[in-house]
Amino acid sequence: MQKSLTIDPQKCTGCLQCEMACSYHHEGVFNPSKSRIKVFTFHDQGLFAPYTCTQCAEAWCLHACPVDAIVTNQVTGAKEVLPTVCVGCKVCTIACPFGTVNYNQDSGKV
């Protein structure tokens, strides 16, 4: 069974705990800049919208990668970045129309 993360923006209070939990789970540190989840704030309306990679069927990031570091996992169907192949050029971050591909400053990879 494929796992997926369901985000309900209606329930978001802007506490950013999802960012903290994600960064700790994946990177071992409580640092929102290392999270795969980002919370967009609509300051004027007092609203928040958490977002993450939408796993597009026609993944622009995958097609834009000049070294083919983004692949589709054959078991789960998820688009994944191969850290051993990624050269950190950030072309995928530009290609993503949703801004959900994030560059990791420490590793020099996405």
Side-chain angles (χ1 to χ4, degrees):
M1 174 190 271
Q2 184 174 346
K3 294 180 182 181
S4 66
L5 180 64
T6 302
I7 298 174
D8 185 351
Q10 301 273 348
K11 295 181 179 179
C12 182
T13 63
C15 72
L16 307 182
Q17 292 301 301
C18 58
E19 289 184 1
M20 298 296 270
C22 180
S23 70
Y24 186 76
H25 176 78
H26 290 284
E27 303 293 333
V29 295
F30 293 107
N31 184 340
S33 70
K34 298 183 185 307
S35 176
R36 279 104 167 132
I37 302 170
K38 302 294 180 194
V39 177
F40 187 80
T41 303
F42 295 92
H43 293 284
D44 295 343
Q45 297 88 10
L47 298 174
F48 307 93
Y51 62 94
T52 188
C53 178
T54 59
Q55 296 291 314
C56 304
E58 188 63 35
W60 294 6
C61 60
L62 184 146
H63 298 299
C65 181
V67 295
D68 297 324
I70 303 173
V71 297
T72 302
N73 182 305
Q74 296 303 308
V75 176
T76 65
K79 281 37 166 215
E80 299 176 347
V81 177
L82 302 174
T84 56
V85 180
C86 178
V87 295
C89 69
K90 303 183 208 170
V91 172
C92 56
T93 66
I94 297 166
C96 177
F98 305 106
T100 58
V101 180
N102 300 302
Y103 178 75
N104 184 321
Q105 193 79 24
D106 294 339
S107 69
K109 315 266 184 184
V110 295

